[in-house]
Every structure is written in structure tokens, then in C-alpha cells.
């Protein structure tokens, strides 16, 4: 999962880098794995590329969190009034610094590119790039593929200078051949910035504007909270199959290139990934999670009855707090904070290696005995993926003195891999794979496990935007909205991403891959 942003300032004498840096900080949750040793894992990464006078490009990128990659002296070296930023947790490809985005190709026109998502037909696209387009693809990154397909489509114009129509045609060419979930931002040197979204609208992206003394500034971002935090207003989500171009004069041109697109946004954005203060596709993530809490209360009553013995409801910080509070309110049960989180440890389900995830959970949370001792506890989590965190949390509650430990998930059981950019690919790594609820409870050491049903989850989101009638809920129902996802593809994906395949010694010993840069790019 990644976070993307792009910024164009009307005043060409100002620098875009400070606000791009600030925006990436607000998207860090989308690109955070952990600060544990790079030697053992695929690292998160961050990068910014800006464009200054005469189309000169400036770049800072590397492995680590935003605060590790950038400091004030580095930001001052990123000259220019427009730029692109990216934060990454890698789900495909490697953790090499060369795969930190944004990417760049010098021909044609000097294109900078960043993307969030995953392609499901990457292998056939690589073959096309090699055999037909004669473009060398140097890494395993889908982003490099998208960039080169975009560049190849623009190259076909044969023009010295391109216009908006040429760019729309090039993006339409991407839609024609690239299948999967992707939200993209791009910058063409000396021309402007671009944002576009896949024909199903699986991954989120929107844009907003801000008045300044010299005109109107524009920003693209994965989530509205970035634009809010940078004082932009009138945030609009891109429609599925829509592209928006902002040229250097702050002129906006937009077009939905797939007018009959089947809108199917990823429902897991609302469950887990997005910040609660974001609004995505017209839906407040906060309100959505409140509704999930109410729907979960209904499931608790259905499974345990009105004469249940729950004494207290405790959330797993942080994502489940909103839902847990509403569950407790509807059930009229005491809500308490029983787990204290170390905020400097990353998310565990996206950490490579089951052993590392287990070791990290107890470093991440501490259970307060005074909230657990002698009580029957209902622990509420947003979802249960591999079960590593859940199993350890259940045991921590027992060690803290809980009599009974019930576990409730705001999401349905996750039984299928995600192929659109979330790192939970192998079905065999999912605790709910081929298991019923009682079996899952045994595996997690809980007295009972309660899952929200898919209908309740969809209703919790759909009630705030009834125009969305179809969702990507593939991790719950195994239905992949883009097509081209068969057993052979899933087996191939599992071979690439399963725990045993990550962080191999020979990979760690391999030399650094050549970066996707050109020597004329100002490397800092």
C-alpha cells in the first residue's frame, strides 16, 4: 500500500517541497511497515521529485519513513514550484532503494511518475514492453511498467511539444492494456502535473485547490486529509477512469476517459487503511467506522444473545477505537482503553516474517491489568488478517487476568488474497483460510470470535453514498472486479509474496539495482 501526492503552485518563485513533505507525513500510515532492521525486511520508502526552471528536475528518495529520508537541508535542495511525492510499503518488487518512487524517464519530455496499487497482468505487459515497445524494464515494479507504457504512448505522438489531448490519449492507452487497481500522479517537466484513477476506481485519489496571490494552487493526494492539512479546499475524488491535468499556468482540464466504468472502490480502505479524518468518494471514514460499530453490535447480540456476560469492551488501538466506542454505546457496555500502544512500532500484519510479527506485537502493545483482571472482555479489532496480532493480544488479555476473552472483528473473515496493492497475498497465511468461526477462535485462543458479515459492512459504507452499488471486497468474497485473476495468477503471486520467499539471503547479498534515473537528474 502506498500514498501519493502532487503539487503545483501558481507562484513559480515558491518551492513545492515543504508542502509535499508535509503531505507525505500525513500519508505515512499508507507507507509504514516498521523501523526494524532493513536486513530482515522489505522497507518502507519515501521520495519527492520537483521541477524547477527550464524543466530541471531535482530528487530526494530512499528507504525509511518520511522523517528518516528528509531533513531541512535536503528539502532546500528540492527546487521548483511543482512536484510529486510518494510513500511506500512494497507489496511487489523488492525493497531496493532503486524502487523507491517517484520514478523518472527522460524520454519523451521528462516524465516523473508515482503510483499506488497493483497490476494483475504485469507479466504480459513486460513482454509487450520488450517485444513491441522495445523499452527495457529494469525492476519488478508495476510503477515502472505504468510509467513506460505512459511514456511509450506519448512517444507515438512524434511531437516536439505535447498538449492535453495527447496526454488524455496516452492515459486512455494505459486503461486499454493495464488491468488492476491503480491511482497515479505524474509530472511532465515544464508542463504540469497529472492525476488519474483506474477504470474501477479501486484505489483512491482526489484533488483540491487553494487561492494564492499569484493564482490558484492545486494538489493531488490519496486522501482528503492531506489537502485539508495544507489548507486546500473543494476536494474532489477522481471518478473511475478519469484523468485530471493541471498545466503550469494552473489551467485544469479533466475528462472521464472510461465513461461506462464500473465503479468498485476498495472497501478495506474504510475498514483499515484510510485515516478516520479523511473523506473518500464522498464517505466520511469516521462516520463509516461508527456505522461499522453499530453493525458489529448487532452481530454480537445475534451470536451471544441479550443475556451475554460481557463486562467491558476494549479496542485494539488505533483503527478500531471509533467502531468499538459505538459498539459499546449500542450494547450499553462499559468502554475502556486496556491496551497502550507504542506509537514507534509499525503495523504488524504487513511486516514480513511471521516470527518477526509475533515478537513485535508485545513490543507494540501493553495490557493494563486493572482493566482486564476478573472481567469477561470483548476485544474489538478492525479486522483479523494473519491472526498474529490477535493471538498475542488474546494471550496478553489472559495474562492480565481476564476471565473470558471474546474477539470481535469489524470486518468479515478475510479468506482470500488481495491483488490490488495490499500485502496480504497468501491464503495459507490467513488465519480464516478454510476455517469456520469456532476453528478460528481455537486458533487464536479466544473463547469466541465474532465477525461482521459482508452485508453489514457494505451497508455501513453504502449508507453514506448510495450511488456506490458495487465494491471491491475480494479479500472477503474472492470476487476480483477487474478480471484476469485466476488460480494460476494467485499461485504465481503466492510464490512471490509468501513469508518464506521474503528477505532471502541471496537477495540481500545481490548488488543494488540501477535506479530509474537519468544522469541529468539532480541527485541529492
Amino acid at each position: 500500500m502506498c500514498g501519493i501526492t502532487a503539487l503545483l503552485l501558481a507562484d513559480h518563485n515558491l518551492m513545492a517541497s515543504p508542502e509535499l513533505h508535509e503531505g507525505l507525513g500525513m500519508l505515512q500510515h499508507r507507507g509504514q511497515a516498521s523501523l526494524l532492521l532493513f536486513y530482515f525486511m522489505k522497507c518502507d520508502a519515501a521520495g519527492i521529485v520537483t521541477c524547477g526552471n527550464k524543466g530541471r528536475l531535482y530528487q530526494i528518495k530512499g528507504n525509511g519513513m518520511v522523517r528518516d529520508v528528509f531533513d531541512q537541508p535536503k528539502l532546500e535542495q528540492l527546487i521548483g514550484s511543482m512536484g510529486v511525492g510518494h510513500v511506500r510499503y512494497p507489496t511487489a518488487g523488492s525493497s531496493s532503494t532503486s524502487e523507491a518512487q517517484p520514478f523518472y524517464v527522460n524520454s519523451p519530455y521528462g516524465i516523473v511518475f508515482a503510483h499506488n496499487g497493483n497490476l494483475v497482468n504485469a507479466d504480459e505487459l513486460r513482454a509487450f514492453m520488450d517485444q513491441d515497445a522495445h523499452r527495457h524494464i529494469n525492476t519488478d515494479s508495476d510503477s515502472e511498467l505504468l510509467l513506460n507504457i505512459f511514456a511509450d504512448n506519448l512517444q507515438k505522438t512524434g511531437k516536439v511539444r505535447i498538449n492535453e489531448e495527447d496526454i488524455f490519449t496516452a492515459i486512455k492507452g494505459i486503461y486499454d492494456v493495464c488491468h488492476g487497481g491503480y491511482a497515479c500522479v505524474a509530472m511532465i517537466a515544464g508542463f504540469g502535473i497529472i492525476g488519474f484513477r483506474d477504470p474501477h476506481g479501486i484505489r483512491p485519489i482526489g484533488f483540491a485547490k487553494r487561492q494564492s496571490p499569484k493564482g490558484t494552487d492545486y494538489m493531488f493526494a490519496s486522501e482528503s486529509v492531506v489537502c485539508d492539512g495544507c489548507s486546500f479546499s473543494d476536494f474532489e475524488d477522481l471518478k473511475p477512469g478519469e484523468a485530471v491535468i493541471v498545466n503550469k499556468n494552473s489551467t485544469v482540464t479533466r475528462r472521464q476517459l472510461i465513461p461506462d466504468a464500473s465503479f468498485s472502490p476498495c472497501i478495506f480502505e474504510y475498514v483499515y487503511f484510510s485515516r478516520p479524518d479523511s473523506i473518500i468518494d464522498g464517505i466520511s471514514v469516521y462516520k463509516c467506522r461508527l456505522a461499522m460499530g453499530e453493525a458489529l453490535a448487532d452481530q454480537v447480540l445475534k451470536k451471544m444473545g441479550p443475556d451475554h456476560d460481557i463486562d467491558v469492551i476494549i479496542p485494539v488501538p488505533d483503527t478500531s477505537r471509533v467502531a468499538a466506542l459505538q459498539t459499546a454505546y449500542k450494547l450499553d457496555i462499559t468502554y475502556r482503553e486496556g491496551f497502550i500502544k507504542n506509537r514507534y512500532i509499525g503495523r504488524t500484519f504487513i511486516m514480513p516474517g511471521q516470527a518477526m510479527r509475533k515478537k513485535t506485537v508485545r513490543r507494540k502493545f501493553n495490557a493494563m491489568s486493572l482493566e482486564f483482571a476478573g472481567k469477561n472482555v470483548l476485544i474489538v479489532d478492525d479486522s483479523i488478517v494473519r491472526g498474529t496480532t490477535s493471538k498475542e493480544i488474546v494471550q496478553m488479555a489472559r495474562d492480565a487476568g481476564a476471565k473470558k476473552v471474546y474477539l470481535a472483528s469489524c470486518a468479515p473473515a478475510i479468506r482470500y488474497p488481495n491483488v490490488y496493492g495490499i500485502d496480504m497475498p497468501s491464503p495459507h497465511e490467513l488465519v480464516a483460510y478454510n476455517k469456520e468461526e469456532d476453528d478460528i477462535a481455537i486458533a487464536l485462543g479466544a473463547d469466541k470470535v465474532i465477525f461482521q458479515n459482508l452485508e453489514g459492512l457494505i451497508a455501513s459504507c453504502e449508507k453514506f453514498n448510495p450511488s456506490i452499488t458495487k465494491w471491491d471486497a475480494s479479500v472477503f468474497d474472492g470476487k476480483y472486479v477487474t478480471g484476469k485473476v485466476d488460480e494460476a495468477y494467485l499461485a504465481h503471486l503466492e510464490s512471490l509474496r509468501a513469508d518464506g520467499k521474503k528477505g532471502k539471503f541471496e537477495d540481500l547479498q545481490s548488488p543494488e539495482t540501477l535506479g530509474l534515473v537519468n544522469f541529468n537528474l539532480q541527485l541529492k
Side-chain angles (χ1 to χ4, degrees), residues 99-355:
E99 291 197 12
Q101 298 182 46
F103 289 161
Y104 163 74
V105 291
N106 66 335
S107 178
Y109 314 117
I111 306 169
V112 176
F113 196 92
H115 128 274
N116 171 33
N118 193 61
L119 299 177
V120 299
N121 63 330
D123 287 346
E124 75 178 60
L125 292 173
R126 285 191 182 90
F128 170 78
M129 285 285 99
D130 179 35
Q131 299 167 16
D132 295 274
H134 309 303
R135 281 181 171 265
H136 175 65
I137 304 300
N138 201 53
T139 72
D140 295 325
S141 171
D142 289 354
S143 306
E144 185 186 4
L145 273 175
L146 283 160
L147 168 60
N148 275 276
I149 291 168
F150 184 46
D152 185 58
N153 291 343
L154 286 175
Q155 187 82 59
K156 293 173 183 175
T157 66
K159 293 182 177 180
V160 176
R161 295 288 181 266
I162 54 170
N163 57 33
E164 283 82 355
E165 285 300 321
D166 299 321
I167 296 171
F168 283 134
T169 300
I171 296 172
K172 177 61 167 61
I174 292 175
Y175 291 153
D176 290 341
V177 299
C178 295
H179 303 286
Y182 48 93
C184 308
V185 289
M187 177 173 63
I188 299 177
F191 184 92
I193 60 174
I194 304 157
F196 62 94
R197 193 177 188 183
D198 72 79
H200 294 275
I202 296 172
R203 300 265 73 89
I205 182 175
F207 76 113
K209 60 185 178 182
R210 178 183 65 191
Q211 294 303 314
S212 70
K214 292 293 184 72
T216 306
D217 305 329
Y218 287 93
M219 173 178 271
F220 291 98
S222 295
E223 297 185 32
S224 65
V225 66
V226 177
C227 298
D228 293 340
C230 294
S231 301
F232 284 73
S233 60
D234 300 322
F235 182 88
E236 292 185 63
D237 299 281
L238 270 64
K239 299 180 179 66
E242 184 179 26
V244 177
I245 303 168
V246 185
N247 70 20
K248 62 183 179 181
N249 298 317
S250 294
T251 301
V252 177
T253 312
R254 58 190 303 182
R255 186 175 301 171
Q256 191 169 9
L257 300 170
I258 310 292
D260 56 346
S262 174
F263 192 21
S264 309
C266 175
I267 204 164
F268 208 67
E269 288 280 352
Y270 301 91
V271 172
Y272 183 73
F273 270 106
S274 298
R275 278 180 43 158
D277 46 348
S278 285
I279 297 175
I280 298 177
D281 293 316
I283 299 174
S284 162
V285 177
Y286 178 79
K287 287 185 176 180
C288 191
R289 288 178 183 166
L290 286 175
M292 289 179 198
E294 289 195 13
L296 184 60
D298 293 335
Q299 287 298 308
V300 171
L301 289 175
K302 181 179 178 181
K303 298 295 178 64
M304 300 188 68
D307 298 325
H308 59 76
D309 59 354
I310 301 169
D311 298 314
V312 64
I313 291 179
I314 294 176
V316 178
D318 288 312
T319 321
S320 62
R321 277 193 172 117
V322 176
L325 187 61
Q326 197 68 5
T327 300
Y329 177 79
K330 187 166 184 179
L331 294 176
D332 195 22
I333 298 174
T334 301
Y335 171 94
R336 288 288 186 268
E337 293 281 348
F339 294 105
I340 303 304
K341 181 180 179 181
N342 178 354
R343 299 183 183 280
Y344 303 99
I345 297 291
R347 291 170 168 179
T348 55
F349 94 77
I350 57 177
M351 286 182 181
Q354 192 78 341

Side-chain angles (χ1 to χ4, degrees), residues 453-475:
N453 59 36
L454 184 55
E455 294 77 14
L457 175 60
I458 290 175
S460 298
C461 300
E462 214 166 80
K463 66 188 292 185
F464 300 107
N465 188 351
S467 67
I468 302 177
T469 59
K470 187 176 180 181
W471 298 84
D472 167 46
S474 52
V475 296

Side-chain angles (χ1 to χ4, degrees), residues 34-37 340-346 348 351 355-367 392 396:
S34 172
L35 289 178
L36 298 180
L37 293 178
I340 303 304
K341 181 180 179 181
N342 178 354
R343 299 183 183 280
Y344 303 99
I345 297 291
T348 55
M351 286 182 181
M356 180 174 292
R357 283 187 288 269
K358 289 180 178 179
K359 185 181 294 185
T360 304
V361 172
R362 286 182 181 259
R363 296 173 182 171
K364 183 177 180 179
F365 297 112
N366 183 51
E392 289 297 314
M396 288 167 66

